[in-house]
């Protein structure tokens, strides 16, 4: 007759131990985040943060591997017959901009905010995922293997980034990419095509008439890009968005230039591949267009995927993200999820709330408990 009571007490005690574990891991994650902030790790210069991540994981008995500055590890009871879940975020940063009023490499807390370059993008997510990986590292009988990858050169899409690591990893079946999403479920992410555009005209001396000025043609071309709309609109990501971001022309005051150069930023929804968008624009755009790359397609995960459903059961909400991440390099279904707020990224005096990191570790663990 006492067995149900003892069983309930045991369940409560195990839940209590798990709470302690989450709290300890959250503080460990914050400690690592402070350490990473203090180490400059601009893209292609991440060797020392790579060292710090290796040392941190090894402290918990994790066997690490390294390719360039990409640090990765497999859960202890890896089973090649099981599907693979990838946990990924990056440890490189952009250069601090000139508007900083605080030392970008001095991690310090003010009013609950942890300041420092890379704190929000994406140190908070990275360290929380590393803590989550440690939590599950020695667990047996999981439905998926877990591969942790702390990668480099994300900010400049470098050759030694996640794209270099993926060919040597086993097939990835589903992924969580850690980026600031306020721990809401970004179930889709827009792709990106950047174009170099050229408006052609007839060069001439400025003193003479010219009915074919490339500069005067520019207003019509800009209006076209401003007003053109792709037919398909995504339920999650909305329309394809085209934005002219740079214009340059001319060399001196008395010469009408032969061409005007444009840069066009195109954010592609999940209704199109980048190749399809390119085919449409090549036919319809009123100027020459050369795509810099067509390999950054949109990413998504089905809303009925068990990983998403586990997050929804915990009160998380779904949305579509307009910003690009290493998700674009993955061919599997992937979820973007992490602590922090995207508009803080690349800003002066970047910060993340301490509470955001503390909560993220628990949420990541709970979501994966429901999934694994």
């Amino acid at each position: 007759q006492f067995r149900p009571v003892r069983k309930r007490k045991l369940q409560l005690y195990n839940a209590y131990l798990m709470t302690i574990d989450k709290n300890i891991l959250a503080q460990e994650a914050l400690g690592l985040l402070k350490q990473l902030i203090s180490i400059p790790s601009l893209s292609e210069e991440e060797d020392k943060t790579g060292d710090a991540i290796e040392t941190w994981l090894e402290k918990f008995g994790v066997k690490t591997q390294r390719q360039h500055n990409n640090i990765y590890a497999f859960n202890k009871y890896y089973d090649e017959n099981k599907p693979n879940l990838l946990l990924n975020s990056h440890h490189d940063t952009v250069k601090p901009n000139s508007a900083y009023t605080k030392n970008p490499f001095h991690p310090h807390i003010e009013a609950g905010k942890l300041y420092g370059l890379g704190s929000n993008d994406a140190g908070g997510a990275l360290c929380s995922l590393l803590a989550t990986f440690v939590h599950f590292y020695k667990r047996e009988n999981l439905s998926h293997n877990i591969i942790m990858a702390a990668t480099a050169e994300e900010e400049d899409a470098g050759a030694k980034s996640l794209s270099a690591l993926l060919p040597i990893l086993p097939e990835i079946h589903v992924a969580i990419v850690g980026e600031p999403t306020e721990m809401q479920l970004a179930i889709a992410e827009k792709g990106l095509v950047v174009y170099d555009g050229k408006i052609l005209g007839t060069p001439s001396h400025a003193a003479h008439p010219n009915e074919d000025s490339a500069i005067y043609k520019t207003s019509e071309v800009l209006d076209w890009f401003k007003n053109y709309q792709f037919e398909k609109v995504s339920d999650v990501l909305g329309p394809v968005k085209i934005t002219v971001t740079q214009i340059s022309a001319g060399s001196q005051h008395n010469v009408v230039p032969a061409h005007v150069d444009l840069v066009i930023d195109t954010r592609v929804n999940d209704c199109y591949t980048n190749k399809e968008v390119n085919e449409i624009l090549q036919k319809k755009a009123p100027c020459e267009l050369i795509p810099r790359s067509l390999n950054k397609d949109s990413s998504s995960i089905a809303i009925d995927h068990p990983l998403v459903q586990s997050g929804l059961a915990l009160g998380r909400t779904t949305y579509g993200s307009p910003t690009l991440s290493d998700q674009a390099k993955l061919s599997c279904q992937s979820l973007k999820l992490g602590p922090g707020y995207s508009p803080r990224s690349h800003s002066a005096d970047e910060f993340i709330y301490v509470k955001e990191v503390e909560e993220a570790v628990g949420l990541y663990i709970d979501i994966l408990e429901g999934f694994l």
Side-chain angles (χ1 to χ4, degrees), residues 72-277:
Y72 63 104
F74 301 84
N75 61 297
K76 186 173 182 178
Y77 297 102
Y78 184 90
D79 182 347
E80 64 182 14
N81 296 312
K82 292 181 179 181
N84 295 312
L85 164 68
L86 175 68
L87 305 181
N88 166 248
S89 191
H90 62 95
H91 58 103
D92 64 317
T93 70
V94 296
K95 294 180 180 180
N97 64 57
S98 59
Y100 262 83
T101 65
K102 303 176 185 294
N103 182 344
F105 305 111
H106 173 55
H108 63 287
I109 297 172
E110 297 178 18
K113 300 175 182 178
L114 173 57
Y115 285 92
L117 181 65
S119 56
N120 185 76
D121 184 16
L126 172 64
C127 295
S128 299
L129 281 174
L130 286 165
T132 301
F133 177 75
V134 166
H135 176 86
F136 288 99
Y137 177 65
K138 295 180 181 179
R139 286 275 293 274
E140 298 185 69
N141 301 317
L142 299 174
S143 65
H144 288 61
N145 299 307
I146 307 177
I147 303 172
M148 179 71 223
T151 48
E153 299 188 17
E154 190 269 353
E155 295 291 1
D156 67 351
K160 298 177 181 178
S161 63
L162 177 63
S163 59
L165 180 61
L166 286 172
I168 69 173
L169 292 179
E171 180 184 0
I172 305 300
H173 298 88
V174 64
I176 295 177
V177 176
E179 291 284 345
T181 71
E182 300 181 276
M183 286 306 289
Q184 303 303 334
L185 310 168
I187 60 172
E189 172 187 274
K190 280 190 172 180
L192 172 66
V193 184
V194 178
Y195 287 97
D196 292 301
K198 193 179 292 292
I199 304 169
L200 299 176
T202 302
S204 68
H205 194 293
H208 300 300
N210 186 332
E211 299 299 325
D212 189 39
S213 166
I215 288 180
Y216 288 157
K217 288 181 179 179
T218 301
S219 60
E220 294 179 3
V221 173
L222 294 178
D223 282 341
W224 188 91
F225 281 116
K226 180 181 179 181
N227 296 317
Y228 182 77
Q229 295 182 349
F230 282 81
E231 180 180 346
K232 299 176 186 177
V233 177
S234 167
D235 292 337
V236 179
L237 292 172
V240 175
K241 186 175 185 297
I242 308 175
T243 308
V244 178
T245 57
Q246 293 175 254
I247 301 176
S248 60
S251 58
Q252 59 191 68
H253 77 90
N254 59 350
V255 177
V256 176
H259 57 84
V260 174
D261 297 320
L262 307 175
V263 175
I264 301 104
D265 179 293
T266 309
R267 303 284 166 159
V268 183
N269 65 24
D270 52 347
C271 299
Y272 299 91
T273 65
N274 287 358
K275 183 178 178 181
E276 289 170 335
V277 164

Side-chain angles (χ1 to χ4, degrees), residues 120-122 124-125 176-189 316-323 325 327 335-345 352 356 360 363-364 367:
N120 185 76
D121 184 16
I176 295 177
V177 176
E179 291 284 345
T181 71
E182 300 181 276
M183 286 306 289
Q184 303 303 334
L185 310 168
I187 60 172
E189 172 187 274
R316 302 292 91 191
T317 59
T318 62
Y319 76 103
S321 172
T323 58
S325 73
Q327 261 188 294
L335 173 68
K336 186 156 69 175
L337 174 67
Y341 179 49
S342 185
R344 293 184 210 139
S345 302
I352 191 167
E356 289 177 315
L363 279 168
Y364 274 139
I367 289 170

